[in-house]
Amino acid sequence: MSGRVVVIGVGNPLRGDDGIGPAAVEALHGRVPDGTVLTVSDGEPARMLDLWRGADTVVLVEALRTSPACPGRLHTLTPSEAARHAPGAASTHAFGLGECLALAQALDRLPPQLVVHAVEVAGVALGTGLSPAVRSALPELTERVAATVSRAHEHHR
């Protein structure tokens, strides 16, 4: 095992609350151990698989659509929990996280450890800026992701 830890902020900052993943990655700079890979993705499955290639631990930070929604509510999901969300419900992207994880499993490309930190969103219409509810969840989300990353580094020592 390489001990490589990758954090991927999934989303598009030009689509309202869908920018929570990239915003969290930005907030993590200087708050996670050296050697942690911090990156962003639009959620396209092939690119996601490339980003986590060779990682022992992957932490995904994602906007989550639910019905009824409680914008700003935080979730920590295992891969199987994330995959159980109905297509289009687990993600704000064309391909949902469930489809991405199914592809990774079919190709035997799931990382040994994968954690999804997600935030229920208010809207993903075109426009910049997070809604107040989602923006207020960013500090706690950042803390949760940083704690997951720290535990992963401790585990790989």
Side-chain angles (χ1 to χ4, degrees):
M1 289 215 284
S2 68
R4 185 168 180 249
V5 178
V6 176
V7 178
I8 304 171
V10 182
N12 181 345
L14 300 177
R15 294 194 64 91
D17 286 344
D18 194 38
I20 189 65
V25 165
E26 182 64 30
L28 287 165
H29 285 279
R31 300 196 55 203
V32 293
D34 290 343
T36 304
V37 177
L38 298 173
T39 189
V40 296
S41 173
D42 62 2
E44 195 280 319
R47 285 192 288 275
M48 295 278 285
L49 272 58
D50 282 342
L51 288 172
W52 74 47
R53 183 188 317 256
D56 289 312
T57 301
V58 173
V59 181
L60 300 177
V61 187
E62 172 76 279
L64 182 70
R65 288 191 295 188
T66 59
S67 182
C70 181
R73 183 183 320 176
L74 301 174
H75 298 264
T76 301
L77 307 170
T78 65
S80 60
E81 290 169 334
R84 280 197 298 265
H85 283 277
S91 174
T92 59
H93 319 294
F95 288 100
L97 186 54
E99 291 90 350
C100 180
L101 296 174
L103 176 63
Q105 185 171 15
L107 297 174
D108 196 27
R109 303 244 330 252
L110 277 173
Q113 176 73 22
L114 188 140
V115 177
V116 179
H117 288 286
V119 181
E120 289 185 39
V121 298
V124 294
L126 286 176
T128 58
L130 302 173
S131 67
V134 171
R135 187 178 330 104
S136 70
L138 183 58
E140 176 63 23
L141 173 66
T142 304
E143 287 297 321
R144 288 185 184 196
V145 174
T148 299
V149 169
S150 293
R151 283 191 302 272
H153 280 286
E154 285 295 320
H155 176 76
H156 296 300
R157 285 185 188 199

